[in-house]
Amino acid sequence: MALEFDTQFAPAYGRAVEAGPGVLRLTVNNPSPFTFHGTNSYVVGTSSLAVIDPGPDDDAHLEALLKAIDGRPVSHILVSHTHRDHSPLAARLAEITGALVCAEGPHRPARPLRIGETNPLDASADTDFKPDLTLKDNELIEGDGWELRAIHTPGHAANHTVFALEGTGIMFSADHVMAWSTTIVAPPDGAMADYMRSLDALLARDDQLLLPGHGGPVTRPAPFLRGLKAHRKMRERAILERVTRGDRSIGDMVRAIYRDTDPRLHGAAALSVLAHLEDLVSRSAVVTEGAPAIDGLYFPG
């Protein structure tokens, strides 16, 4: 399918909105070019609850979550990944509710930093986060009247995990799949080869509704996932074409490929191009001196 994004979304800041049977969505008032209207948190269950992605350390959002919880017990807080718009509030919410904080693990990059390399994404990383329970791939978290399955989906972040609400067809897709935009895959935090494998893992499933970390739902997951995969392959072909035509630097490629993109996003676009180039170099389709780098020079393989 042609990839069509849905940018129609009413964030309803400070108010819980029903997103599915037994599922409430609350959106943090932290809009930006990267978070869209803000980060979505989800409250799952009716008598005993789970909270998915409590969000940044924001007093107003904590108050809204507690109002939605409405005195009911919270057994688990599930965190999809450790970017600062998703995980920091987990510690305060756990202290208030006594819930177990669950995630794949602490923050880590997809690969070690190379000599002389700095991580431009350091400011977005919640390096203080430590889960009470580390989740294995395909592990089931059981609550009162609900079961959530953790599915590891590295790519956007090395520890990214999505959660499937068993028996409902609903998946909480966090930043892996979103209706409003493609996902940022930016080294060293993320890796394109990982992201593509994670798309394939979701394509092998039969989920009917994806509730993402930003924006509204994906109502037709299978064709949308195929569209995302085709979009990444198209971007890869565009990068190969620019290299073949003589573009040597990532900056030149970004100016050509992303000429219609908001210039505020060109830094993220450069990291996305680097992610593709890392994958292309690993397959010898493109060559560079040493390891792929943001300031490297690239040549046809």
Side-chain angles (χ1 to χ4, degrees):
M1 65 172 283
L3 190 56
E4 296 182 3
F5 295 115
D6 182 0
T7 58
Q8 301 301 309
F9 179 69
Y13 298 130
R15 182 166 57 87
V17 175
E18 185 176 355
V23 178
L24 300 176
R25 184 190 69 231
L26 296 95
T27 304
V28 189
N29 190 358
N30 63 335
S32 78
F34 299 101
T35 61
F36 194 37
H37 289 290
T39 304
N40 293 331
S41 301
Y42 295 95
V43 178
V44 178
T46 53
S47 54
S48 180
L49 310 176
V51 174
I52 297 174
D53 281 351
D57 191 358
D58 180 277
D59 290 343
H61 191 59
L62 176 60
E63 182 180 342
L65 281 171
L66 293 174
K67 183 177 180 181
I69 290 166
D70 193 25
R72 292 173 289 179
V74 179
S75 59
H76 297 79
I77 298 168
L78 287 79
V79 173
S80 65
H81 64 295
T82 45
H83 286 156
R84 297 194 69 83
D85 58 321
H86 287 261
S87 56
L89 195 57
R92 290 175 65 190
L93 187 61
E95 185 177 356
I96 293 168
T97 63
L100 278 176
V101 177
C102 311
E104 189 269 357
H107 190 80
R108 68 181 189 280
R111 59 161 174 77
L113 266 66
R114 298 173 179 126
I115 294 173
E117 185 181 23
T118 59
N119 185 356
L121 306 170
D122 271 345
S124 69
D126 181 8
T127 55
D128 294 328
F129 178 84
K130 300 291 187 295
D132 300 314
L133 179 65
T134 57
L135 299 174
K136 299 181 179 67
D137 187 30
N138 212 39
E139 184 168 347
L140 200 61
I141 304 99
E142 298 185 44
D144 183 6
W146 52 264
E147 294 179 320
L148 286 159
R149 187 173 300 278
I151 300 161
H152 291 178
T153 49
H156 173 67
N159 63 358
H160 197 286
T161 301
V162 299
F163 302 102
L165 186 57
E166 293 287 281
T168 68
I170 294 173
M171 171 176 284
F172 301 93
S173 56
D175 286 8
H176 183 56
V177 180
M178 301 176 290
W180 74 282
S181 176
T182 56
T183 297
I184 293 172
V185 181
D189 275 19
M192 189 60 66
D194 288 346
Y195 181 76
M196 296 299 281
R197 283 191 291 268
S198 295
L199 284 181
D200 285 338
L202 294 201
L203 273 166
R205 294 177 51 86
D206 187 29
D207 301 295
Q208 300 302 304
L209 180 71
L210 305 186
L211 299 177
H214 307 274
V218 176
T219 56
R220 299 178 61 222
F224 192 77
L225 286 163
R226 289 193 292 270
L228 284 176
K229 190 173 179 181
H231 173 82
R232 296 291 180 174
K233 289 294 186 183
M234 181 182 68
R235 185 68 77 216
E236 179 183 281
R237 288 194 296 272
I239 291 167
L240 279 171
E241 181 181 354
R242 297 313 309 177
V243 173
T244 301
R245 289 188 176 189
D247 285 0
R248 296 291 166 253
S249 73
I250 288 177
D252 287 342
M253 297 177 210
V254 168
R255 282 187 286 275
I257 296 170
Y258 293 89
R259 57 185 174 273
D260 297 325
T261 299
D262 184 340
R264 293 178 296 172
L265 299 177
H266 278 193
L271 291 170
S272 179
V273 171
L274 175 60
H276 277 290
L277 287 166
E278 285 187 343
D279 188 27
L280 289 165
V281 168
S282 75
R283 293 186 273 132
S284 302
V286 172
V287 296
T288 187
E289 184 175 350
I294 196 73
D295 58 353
L297 299 177
Y298 295 90
F299 302 87

